[in-house]
Amino acid sequence: RSRRVRLMPSRTAGTELTAASTSDARDCAVFVDGEELPSTSKPGGDGTAASNIYIEVDLSTQAAETAARRRDPFPGQLDAAPTAGYTTVRGVLSSRYMLSQVLFNMVGSATGPLLCFYLLFGVISTGPYSWDAPEVIGPILGSPFFASFLCPLLAPAGLPEATAWGFAKVPLTATARYARLFPFLGTHPAWRHSLLRHMLVGAQVSVLAWPTALLFARFVLGPTLSTWTQILGGVGYCVLLAPPITLLALLSLAVEPHYARAVDGLSFDPSPCRRLWLRVGWCLRLIW
């Protein structure tokens, strides 16, 4: 789509705005589709005054950019090519390091709670349990916060090696749009403490997890749960919590200031065992 615009002299507040003089017009370079017009084709090029000037303006590109900006007020932040040392939000979420952490936490969320729930609900106490009993409601309410604390706890230890698996820091401009929904992706000083970030992750995941688990316990597993139904149901609940919590917690770790603080204290000791223990200790210090 294009529009032809005619520029004509006009009067404003008693001052006459005339067209360019012949000499000025001859000194101007006029380009059409990247090629300069000959002097005889310029306005005033034949010695006449450039009183009426026509300009052909292509509005198609501008219209497309305007429409795209209205659809996405932060263009390019999800898929833009990252600069050196940086990656995108999508790059972090789809990295092999993120995938390995999700799988590791799902396995850990199956084995650890299985032993814990067996001791609690199969040894210390036994079923059957009502769907609204404290033994059922307690794990439903508390598991998102325990998972948010434990799943990303040691993830910073592997950050230097994680760059080879596609995990790197994300610039603040790329996370600004998501910080409205997930505040822990922002720059507030409180989010430098991983404990606060992860507890907020657990709280936001709980908004969907709690009602879903309660309805499942009432209408699918209940209204009365046997001992092993209680144990295996709790294990399944923890396994399903691991992916969203790991994705959000590690994405918050990749935000540039959080990433810089986590990497700053990591050990590069030549001894693998000593390096591992020092990095684990630093991960514990990052909690606050």
Side-chain angles (χ1 to χ4, degrees), residues 149-163:
F149 176 76
L150 294 174
C151 285
L153 180 61
L154 300 180
L159 287 182
E161 293 76 20
T163 55

Side-chain angles (χ1 to χ4, degrees), residues 1-87:
R1 186 166 62 92
S2 62
R3 177 179 298 172
R4 197 178 190 191
V5 181
R6 182 177 182 179
L7 304 181
M8 298 187 65
S10 62
R11 293 181 181 270
T12 303
T15 303
E16 183 177 5
L17 301 179
T18 60
S21 65
T22 301
S23 59
D24 292 338
R26 288 174 179 171
D27 292 337
C28 295
V30 180
F31 292 85
V32 177
D33 294 334
E35 298 182 0
E36 184 178 1
L37 293 178
S39 59
T40 57
S41 300
K42 300 176 184 179
D46 56 354
T48 62
S51 59
N52 297 327
I53 302 175
Y54 292 90
I55 301 176
E56 193 78 14
V57 181
D58 185 4
L59 301 179
S60 58
T61 302
Q62 182 180 1
E65 292 177 352
T66 302
R69 192 177 299 111
R70 289 174 180 174
R71 291 193 302 267
D72 186 1
F74 301 91
Q77 292 184 358
L78 186 63
D79 301 315
T83 56
Y86 290 84
T87 187

Side-chain angles (χ1 to χ4, degrees), residues 114-126:
L114 178 61
L115 176 60
C116 179
F117 290 160
Y118 174 74
L119 293 177
L120 289 175
F121 308 122
V123 176
I124 298 177
S125 64
T126 57

Side-chain angles (χ1 to χ4, degrees), residues 100-265:
S100 68
Q101 289 295 306
V102 170
L103 294 178
F104 176 81
N105 287 332
M106 291 181 70
V107 173
S109 297
T111 55
L114 178 61
L115 176 60
C116 179
F117 290 160
Y118 174 74
L119 293 177
L120 289 175
F121 308 122
V123 176
I124 298 177
S125 64
T126 57
Y129 301 99
S130 173
W131 74 275
D132 56 353
E135 293 85 355
V136 177
I137 301 297
I140 290 177
L141 299 182
S143 292
F145 296 100
F146 279 102
S148 297
F149 176 76
L150 294 174
C151 285
L153 180 61
L154 300 180
L159 287 182
E161 293 76 20
T163 55
W165 285 26
F167 192 94
K169 57 186 174 183
V170 179
L172 291 172
T173 54
T175 59
R177 63 186 301 184
Y178 306 106
R180 300 172 183 177
L181 181 60
F182 304 109
F184 49 82
L185 299 179
T187 59
H188 192 280
W191 307 132
R192 67 187 298 269
H193 307 294
S194 64
L195 177 63
L196 298 181
R197 296 201 310 269
H198 298 162
M199 289 301 99
L200 182 57
V201 169
Q204 292 194 286
V205 171
S206 297
V207 173
L208 295 177
W210 286 347
T212 303
L214 289 172
L215 291 174
F216 193 83
R218 171 61 179 86
F219 296 104
V220 178
L221 302 180
T224 301
L225 287 70
S226 66
T227 297
W228 278 105
T229 300
Q230 165 68 2
I231 295 173
L232 297 180
V235 171
Y237 179 59
C238 292
V239 171
L240 293 177
L241 288 173
I245 287 175
T246 303
L247 290 172
L248 292 175
L250 265 65
L251 180 58
S252 74
L253 175 63
V255 177
E256 187 172 3
H258 307 158
Y259 184 95
R261 181 171 183 256
V263 173
D264 183 61

